[in-house]
Amino acid sequence: AQSVTQLGSHVSVSEGALVLLRCNYSSSVPPYLFWYVQYPNQGLQLLLKYTSAATLVKGINGFEAEFKKSETSFHLTKPSAHMSDAAEYFCAVSPYYGGSQGNLIFGKGTKLSVKP
Amino acid sequence: AAGVIQSPRHLIKEKRETATLKCYPIPRHDTVYWYQQGPGQDPQFLISFYEKMQSDKGSIPDRFSAQQFSDYHSELNMSSLELGDSALYFCASSPGTGSSYNSPLHFGNGTRLTVT
C-alpha cells in the first residue's frame, strides 16, 4: 500500500523567508508524487509532479521539490515566501504505476501562514 | 482555459434527504474522479469513471451512487444523508488515455454540502 506523511500541520514563515514543507512517502513500487495547493474555498491546484524523470522538479509560483529515494522524501521548497503563498498544501501519491492514472492518496495537508 | 465546473457551489440539506451533485469535466477529458474532503481533513477518493464506466472505487458509502453520462459529465447521488456527510465534494477530470505523468488531475472548486 502507498501513503504519504506530511510533517507539520501548520508552518509559519516570514515574508521573504525560505519555505520548506515536508512530505515522506511509502511505496512498494516507484511512486508518482504530486504537490497540490488549496486556497480557501477553492479546489486543488497542481503545483508540481514527480514522474521518475529528473529528481529535482520545478513547479509553478517558484516552488520546487526534490525526490530523494534514500530518504523516501519529496519536500516542497520555495526560496522566498510571498504573502500570496498562504494556503494549504497537500502532498499526494498515485497508487498506480504506469498504465492509466488511478486515484490519488493525499497527505493530511500543511497549512502555510506567511507573516509580513 | 476551461476548467472543471461543479454545481451547486453550496447545498444545504436535512438528515435523511437526498442530494445530487454535478460535475462537468474539462472538454475532451473522459475520466472523472470524485473526492470528499471533511472539515480540516485531506481529500478522500470516492469513485472514478472512464468512458462512462466505473473505473475505480474508494471509500464511497453504499448510500451514494454516481454515474458518468454520454457527454462525460458526472453526477454524485447521495441518499439518506447523515450529519457526517457534511463536507466539500470535489470533482476532478483528466484525459484517461495516458498515465499519471501525462494526465494529472484537474480539480473543480467543489460543492460544499451541509447536512443539518
Side-chain angles (χ1 to χ4, degrees):
Chain A
Q2 294 179 312
S3 65
V4 290
T5 302
Q6 291 183 242
L7 300 176
S9 57
H10 288 86
V11 170
S12 181
V13 300
S14 297
E15 191 173 19
L18 170 72
V19 175
L20 171 60
L21 304 182
R22 300 177 187 274
C23 173
N24 289 88
Y25 70 90
S26 172
S27 178
S28 57
V29 297
Y32 291 162
L33 293 161
F34 306 81
W35 275 100
Y36 280 84
V37 61
Q38 184 178 31
Y39 297 99
N41 298 315
Q42 292 190 26
L44 295 141
Q45 180 183 6
L46 180 67
L47 276 178
L48 50 80
K49 59 187 178 183
Y50 167 75
T51 58
S52 74
T55 56
L56 181 62
V57 181
K58 294 188 183 299
I60 62 171
N61 301 341
F63 284 94
E64 62 182 38
E66 186 172 7
F67 174 75
K68 292 188 176 179
K69 185 178 179 180
S70 60
E71 300 177 7
T72 61
S73 69
F74 189 57
H75 301 331
L76 181 71
T77 61
K78 182 174 180 177
S80 176
H82 192 272
M83 297 296 291
S84 62
D85 295 327
E88 188 151 21
Y89 293 79
F90 290 93
C91 181
V93 63
S94 175
Y96 287 76
Y97 178 65
S100 60
Q101 179 181 8
N103 65 82
L104 292 174
I105 297 171
F106 287 90
K108 295 297 182 185
T110 297
K111 193 162 291 186
L112 175 67
S113 301
V114 182
K115 298 174 290 187
Chain B
V4 176
I5 305 297
Q6 290 188 247
S7 68
R9 284 299 307 272
H10 302 274
L11 189 59
I12 299 175
K13 290 286 185 178
E14 294 186 357
K15 277 171 41 177
R16 293 180 287 278
E17 285 192 317
T18 62
T20 297
L21 279 53
K22 298 185 179 183
C23 169
Y24 298 87
I26 291 172
R28 292 181 293 282
H29 282 196
D30 50 14
T31 306
V32 169
Y33 305 80
W34 285 97
Y35 284 81
Q36 177 192 56
Q37 185 179 25
Q41 301 296 313
D42 55 299
Q44 295 289 320
F45 171 70
L46 293 178
I47 195 167
S48 63
F49 292 87
Y50 169 63
E51 283 290 344
K52 293 154 279 183
M53 299 288 290
Q54 180 182 309
S55 56
D56 201 0
K57 190 174 181 180
S59 53
I60 185 169
D62 291 341
R63 298 178 289 108
F64 294 5
S65 65
Q67 56 182 325
Q68 186 180 32
F69 295 85
S70 57
D71 63 351
Y72 297 110
H73 94 272
S74 178
E75 294 183 4
L76 177 66
N77 298 294
M78 310 158 72
S79 63
S80 302
L81 287 169
E82 302 174 355
L83 295 178
D85 296 329
S86 295
L88 196 54
Y89 290 84
F90 287 110
C91 172
S93 73
S94 73
T97 53
S99 56
S100 299
Y101 62 87
N102 276 337
S103 53
L105 303 187
H106 297 262
F107 284 82
N109 284 336
T111 293
R112 185 171 295 282
L113 172 67
T114 302
V115 181
T116 61

